[in-house]
Amino acid sequence: FRPQQKRMKQHQAMLGAITRGDTVVTTGGIIGKVTKAVDGEDLEIEIAQGTRVKVVRSMISDVRSKSQPVNDNSPAKA
């Protein structure tokens, strides 16, 4: 029972940390890039160029890659 609770807490933390730009996998196996993530239940995912779908956050099974945060304070490279 304990390992199951631990896995559930990790999954809930993963779902809460989803941000715009992350590549995610839905429970149906669809891979897409998050284009809109607000604090609510819904996420907007782009599954093909110009094709966006709304997905309930709890139906995300995995986050494949996290987006890199943009650092506006970094010096410009020439």
Side-chain angles (χ1 to χ4, degrees):
F1 193 69
R2 283 294 255 170
Q4 185 179 7
Q5 281 184 333
K6 186 177 178 183
R7 256 183 280 128
M8 209 158 101
K9 283 184 181 180
Q10 287 174 338
H11 190 258
Q12 290 298 323
M14 177 194 70
L15 293 178
I18 293 174
T19 57
R20 186 171 162 237
D22 292 350
T23 302
V24 295
V25 181
T26 66
T27 54
I30 297 172
I31 300 171
K33 192 171 192 174
V34 178
T35 57
K36 189 176 186 182
V38 291
D39 290 336
E41 277 293 305
D42 296 339
L43 295 172
E44 189 175 276
I45 299 175
E46 186 171 38
I47 56 175
Q49 188 172 357
T51 306
R52 294 180 179 176
V53 294
K54 279 192 175 182
V55 179
V56 177
R57 191 179 289 260
S58 61
M59 296 308 286
I60 300 297
S61 64
D62 191 24
V63 176
R64 283 253 174 115
S65 64
K66 296 291 287 176
S67 61
Q68 295 299 320
V70 177
N71 187 358
D72 292 332
N73 297 330
S74 64
K77 293 180 181 178

